Amino acid sequence: MSDREFLALVGRRPGMYTLSATYGRVVAFLHGYEMQARRRGESVLDGFDRWIEERGTPRGATGWWGQAHRVAFPGRDRVTDLAPEEDAHAVAVLFRLLDGFLADRERGWGA
């Protein structure tokens, strides 16, 4: 199973993998997933921040997770505590972005 396929499964039921499908927990899960890939000499998220930036959301101090938050909530500069419906929206946007990034990378983006 590819990273894209696996992360699509996570995106469909994030609470199954993170115990609580909050944006913060999903981000922590993805950071852990990336660290495991790097231990194998690979990367899943390398270039994700640049990919989001190319679509109009500048990078900031928080990296890809802050950018994805700004895509979900334009005009909000700070990542703050989210209401449950906001968490669900932010998680959905994050996985939509991640799938687009991984699809583009499969087609050779960033090579």
Side-chain angles (χ1 to χ4, degrees), residues 21 23 69 72-73 76 80-92:
Y23 188 71
H69 184 275
F73 304 105
R76 279 198 208 174
T80 59
D81 290 334
L82 301 172
E85 62 277 0
E86 291 174 318
D87 262 322
H89 173 68
V91 168

Side-chain angles (χ1 to χ4, degrees), residues 43-62:
S43 176
V44 178
L45 302 174
D46 187 37
F48 189 30
D49 55 348
R50 188 168 40 102
W51 183 88
I52 296 172
E53 183 176 35
E54 288 178 2
R55 279 139 193 85
T57 303
R59 287 186 246 192
T62 56

Side-chain angles (χ1 to χ4, degrees), residues 29-42 45:
F29 174 86
L30 291 172
H31 277 295
Y33 191 78
E34 174 68 3
M35 290 303 101
Q36 179 57 29
R38 288 184 182 214
R39 288 190 68 213
R40 295 188 315 262
E42 301 170 9
L45 302 174

Side-chain angles (χ1 to χ4, degrees), residues 68-100:
H69 184 275
R70 287 193 305 279
V71 171
F73 304 105
R76 279 198 208 174
D77 290 333
R78 295 185 55 179
V79 178
T80 59
D81 290 334
L82 301 172
E85 62 277 0
E86 291 174 318
D87 262 322
H89 173 68
V91 168
V93 167
L94 175 59
F95 279 103
R96 180 178 49 81
L97 291 169
L98 188 55
D99 186 65

